[in-house]
Amino acid sequence: MLYEIYQYQKIIDSLEERINKSKFKKAYLIEVLGISKATFYNKIRNKSFSTTELIQLGKLLAPEEAQALEIKTALQRSEADFEAGNVQDHTTVMRDAYRKLRQ
């Protein structure tokens, strides 16, 4: 747990630099977060972004990492489904897909 806390602190400490080096204008980030300009700059200065805001920023500032995490999560769900027996054979999947397309 302590390791994660230190990692979180490193992320918070480097956030302003990451934002400044990103291809995004601050006005766009403010719009995506849905906060005022003053609130945005206060959050940067005070290092007080919420977890939800950090996730939004992380998806924008590190899209490859976000995509890799989504793939990893999907694979974990797939493995859990397989282990639980929640599987269908190819023929059934194709038949169901074809029916949905015809609707």
Side-chain angles (χ1 to χ4, degrees):
M1 182 170 112
L2 195 55
Y3 174 79
E4 286 85 2
I5 294 169
Y6 284 128
Q7 289 300 108
Y8 174 79
Q9 188 63 50
K10 284 172 63 176
I11 291 167
I12 293 295
D13 289 344
S14 68
L15 188 59
E16 184 174 9
E17 181 181 345
R18 289 176 183 228
I19 288 171
N20 290 335
K21 288 183 177 180
S22 79
K23 63 182 179 181
F24 299 107
K25 294 185 178 201
K26 291 182 179 108
Y28 175 72
L29 298 175
I30 290 166
E31 181 182 326
V32 169
L33 293 173
I35 58 178
S36 72
K37 187 176 179 179
T39 300
F40 178 79
Y41 286 102
N42 281 334
K43 286 179 179 261
I44 287 177
R45 186 179 63 249
N46 299 325
K47 301 176 182 178
S48 62
F49 285 99
S50 70
T51 306
T52 303
E53 292 165 339
L54 286 173
I55 290 170
Q56 287 178 298
L57 288 170
K59 287 179 179 180
L60 289 171
L61 301 176
E64 297 87 7
E65 188 177 333
Q67 186 177 28
L69 182 59
E70 287 178 23
I71 291 169
K72 181 179 177 182
T73 302
L75 285 172
Q76 289 171 338
R77 282 193 313 264
S78 297
E79 288 173 354
D81 281 344
F82 181 77
E83 290 174 9
N86 298 330
V87 295
Q88 294 180 342
D89 62 72
H90 177 73
T91 305
T92 303
V93 171
M94 293 305 292
R95 184 187 66 232
D96 292 347
Y98 181 72
R99 285 182 185 161
K100 287 180 182 178
L101 287 174
R102 289 184 23 200
Q103 293 177 351

